[in-house]
Amino acid sequence: MKTFALVGRNISYSFSRRYFAEKFAQEQITDCEYINFDIPQIEELPSLIHTTPTLVGMNVTIPYKEAVLPLLDWQSEALVAIKACNTIKILPSGELKGYNTDYIGFRDSLVPHLKPHHNRALVLGTGGASKAVAFTLSMLGIPYQLVSREVTPEAISYQELTREVIESHPLIVNTTPLGTSPHTEAFPPIPYQWITSRHLLYDLIYNPEKTTFLAKGEAQGAVIINGYSMLVLQAEAAWEIWK
């Protein structure tokens, strides 16, 4: 038996466990199981790994994508750049190899929707997920501006989002948790009145299927994408690493 696990906190809602359980059933993969490591702090992970001898791979989710980095013995080139880990392969020697497949999922779900005028982006949020998005946009040659609640050397604040800024950034990506179920009424505080049909709004959230952020953009004529395809694509990329 091979065991795979999702590492996170308060992850009973998790997409990953359900997705891989269905994948194993549909593809008649009978020698694999997928479980949750729902832990209050990352320091508990090494003992869980030690006491689960069949463990060969892990996904990592909020809030541990950055906290897990010191535990890794090796990091992929993309992970070194992104500094947020969502996939770990465990070698027979016990060595932990870290990867980021979030950027693969984001890239492959975004590219089919891009038009030539989607040439500048706003990235809402500055957490681990935003790092994968920023890395991907750089790979695609799309300049981006980070947006945060507070001004930092890398980010402008939501208060600085003028009509000119919104109109000159036709791609807007939400990497914050604002609007995630059950708090579906929440949304990033951007001036939605300046969004037009030239805009593409992408929300990394997948539950609900249409967040308030996306609904407000759609009402202005924008093309909208939720995070479900990204999740599926990053999961399949992780599976390819584990196999």
Side-chain angles (χ1 to χ4, degrees), residues 216-234:
K216 285 177 168 287
E218 186 178 52
Q220 296 292 117
V223 175
I224 61 172
I225 314 170
N226 70 19
Y228 185 78
S229 292
M230 175 180 170
L231 275 174
V232 171
L233 291 163
Q234 65 81 20

Side-chain angles (χ1 to χ4, degrees), residues 10-207:
N10 301 325
I11 51 175
S12 58
Y13 67 89
S14 155
F15 161 90
S16 298
R17 188 174 185 178
R18 183 176 68 253
Y19 178 80
F20 278 105
E22 292 174 358
K23 176 182 176 67
F24 296 158
Q26 291 169 0
E27 299 180 19
Q28 298 182 328
I29 300 171
T30 58
D31 63 340
C32 295
E33 64 174 353
Y34 195 101
I35 62 177
N36 281 353
F37 284 164
D38 199 328
I39 53 178
Q41 52 191 20
I42 197 64
E43 287 76 15
E44 296 189 18
L45 183 58
S47 64
L48 280 173
I49 295 172
H50 181 70
T51 56
T52 314
T54 55
L55 189 67
V56 294
M58 295 181 288
N59 290 125
V60 184
T61 190
I62 294 171
Y64 300 131
K65 290 186 180 186
E66 295 166 281
V68 78
L69 295 179
L71 302 180
L72 302 175
D73 299 296
W74 178 90
Q75 299 183 20
S76 70
E77 188 176 341
L79 177 51
V80 170
I82 296 168
K83 298 182 177 62
C85 174
N86 79 314
T87 301
I88 297 173
K89 183 174 185 176
I90 304 173
L91 301 188
S93 63
E95 183 181 8
L96 303 183
K97 301 185 74 171
Y99 302 83
N100 186 297
T101 64
D102 281 333
Y103 88 90
I104 298 171
F106 177 66
R107 179 195 67 198
D108 292 353
S109 57
L110 172 68
V111 167
H113 299 275
L114 287 177
K115 299 289 191 294
H117 70 270
H118 294 136
N119 55 1
R120 294 178 76 192
L122 293 175
V123 179
L124 311 181
T126 55
S130 76
K131 292 176 172 62
V133 168
F135 176 77
T136 306
L137 293 174
S138 293
M139 285 181 61
L140 295 173
I142 300 174
Y144 62 88
Q145 173 63 62
L146 297 177
V147 184
S148 185
R149 286 172 294 184
E150 297 179 2
V151 177
T152 71
E154 295 81 28
I156 63 173
S157 71
Y158 286 99
Q159 287 72 31
E160 295 176 81
L161 294 177
T162 62
R163 178 175 184 170
E164 181 183 3
V165 172
I166 294 294
E167 289 182 346
S168 62
H169 292 79
L171 172 60
I172 305 178
V173 184
N174 177 41
T175 73
T176 78
L178 291 171
T180 306
S181 181
H183 306 292
T184 57
E185 73 290 343
F187 55 89
I190 68 173
Y192 292 90
Q193 68 269 28
W194 307 130
I195 291 172
T196 70
S197 59
R198 288 176 54 82
H199 280 86
L200 172 60
L201 268 58
Y202 190 124
D203 201 329
L204 268 58
I205 295 169
Y206 65 95
N207 183 19

